[in-house]
């Protein structure tokens, strides 16, 4: 049997992502995955031993299909608490991110390579040599779309192990901050203690620090570029 055409596989990838995004934005699925709905559902299932596994599967599936998972991240902290919620969020996000990368690499890479031709060589060389560091920096910047990086990385020549490691490390700060915020918000809404107020203040400071990462990255990039220019000179 002949292998599927690279163009046909690329079309299949686009259709798959488009169908998932269409289902999310054009059907009641978006309401089903809303923060209040998800949190309420898992709050009901919290006593079940299967609740963590169901949560991870839901998170991973949503991420693999490019469905926004920010509500799931916050729901994880609100329902399971900071420590266990962080663990479940991290596992779900990484499984989903690697699944998305695998889909993109298997279905889209050959087609993009055929279309781009030699124009892809520069990007391939850079991603093969500096893929881990480059992706790590992008993962640390909250403004860079998580799902776009998952699928976009699969279209480059970055090694899968470098992608997986950069994803594990790069998404951890944001995951911890969002999970901590959700847990602190729940604690603050159910308790008026000084400890609850302190946790909310800490969550606010962490959010501010996370928002400053793009400025720090830009500054470091400027210095790196300057240093490189001096070395070449």
């Amino acid at each position: 049997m002949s292998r599927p055409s690279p163009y046909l596989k690329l079309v299949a990838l686009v259709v798959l992502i488009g169908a998932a995004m269409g289902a999310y934005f054009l059907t009641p699925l978006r309401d089903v995955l809303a923060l209040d709905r998800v949190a309420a559902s898992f709050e009901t299932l919290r006593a079940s031993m299967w609740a963590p596994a169901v949560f991870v599967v839901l998170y991973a599936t949503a991420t693999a299909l490019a469905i926004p998972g920010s509500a799931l991240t916050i729901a994880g902290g609100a329902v399971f608490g900071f420590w266990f919620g962080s663990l479940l969020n991290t596992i779900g996000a990484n499984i989903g991110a690697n699944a998305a990368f695998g889909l993109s690499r298997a279905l889209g890479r050959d087609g993009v390579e055929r279309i781009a031709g030699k124009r892809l060589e520069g990007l391939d060389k850079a991603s093969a040599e500096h893929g881990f560091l480059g992706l790590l920096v992008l993962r640390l910047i909250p403004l860079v779309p998580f799902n776009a990086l998952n699928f976009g990385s699969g279209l480059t020549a970055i090694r899968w192990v470098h992608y997986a490691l950069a994803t594990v490390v790069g998404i951890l700060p944001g995951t911890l901050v969002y999970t901590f915020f959700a847990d602190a918000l729940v604690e603050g809404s159910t308790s008026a203690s000084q400890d609850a107020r302190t946790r909310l203040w800490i969550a606010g400071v962490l959010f501010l620090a996370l928002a400053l990462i793009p400025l720090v990255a830009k500054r470091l990039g400027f210095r790196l570029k300057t240093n490189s220019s001096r070395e070449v000179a």
Side-chain angles (χ1 to χ4, degrees):
M1 294 180 64
S2 60
R3 298 178 60 185
S5 164
Y7 302 110
L8 184 61
K9 292 194 295 182
L10 181 59
V11 169
L13 177 64
V14 173
V15 170
L16 177 63
I17 297 174
M21 296 300 292
Y24 177 75
F25 287 106
L26 302 177
T27 71
L29 181 61
R30 186 174 187 178
D31 295 328
V32 172
L33 292 177
L35 175 58
D36 55 344
R37 291 281 190 89
V38 174
S41 299
F42 280 99
E43 187 68 37
T44 303
L45 295 172
R46 181 188 284 185
S48 171
M49 63 178 293
W50 297 106
V54 172
F55 177 82
V56 169
V57 170
L58 178 62
Y59 199 134
T61 302
T63 302
L65 296 176
I67 295 174
S70 55
L72 290 168
T73 303
I74 296 176
V79 175
F80 298 104
F82 173 66
W83 295 109
F84 196 37
S86 295
L87 176 63
L88 296 180
N89 283 335
T90 300
I91 293 173
N94 278 281
I95 292 175
N98 280 275
F101 178 91
L103 279 173
S104 180
R105 177 64 59 87
L107 297 178
R109 167 66 184 177
D110 292 342
V112 169
E113 195 172 20
R114 293 282 186 90
I115 295 172
K118 292 186 177 181
R119 289 172 293 180
L120 197 62
E121 290 180 358
L123 176 61
D124 279 350
K125 184 178 180 180
S127 60
E129 294 178 357
H130 311 290
F132 171 78
L133 183 59
L135 181 61
L136 178 61
V137 172
L138 291 175
R139 287 295 196 197
L140 289 170
I141 300 176
L143 298 180
V144 178
F146 178 68
N147 290 328
L149 273 182
N150 296 339
F151 286 93
S153 297
L155 301 178
T156 71
I158 185 174
R159 294 177 59 189
W160 198 326
V161 64
H162 291 166
Y163 168 84
L165 288 175
T167 299
V168 168
V169 177
I171 70 172
L172 189 58
T175 301
L176 293 176
V177 170
Y178 277 95
T179 308
F180 182 84
F181 170 77
D183 184 41
L185 197 61
V186 171
E187 180 69 21
S189 65
T190 57
S191 173
S193 66
Q194 181 62 38
D195 180 62
R197 288 192 292 270
T198 301
R199 294 181 67 184
L200 283 173
W201 275 104
I202 294 174
V205 172
L206 290 175
F207 259 118
L208 178 61
L210 199 63
L212 291 176
I213 287 180
L215 298 177
V216 175
K218 182 178 180 180
R219 182 61 178 170
L220 290 176
F222 172 78
R223 288 178 178 175
L224 181 60
K225 183 177 180 180
T226 302
N227 291 339
S228 299
S229 301
R230 289 176 179 173
E231 288 175 5
V232 172

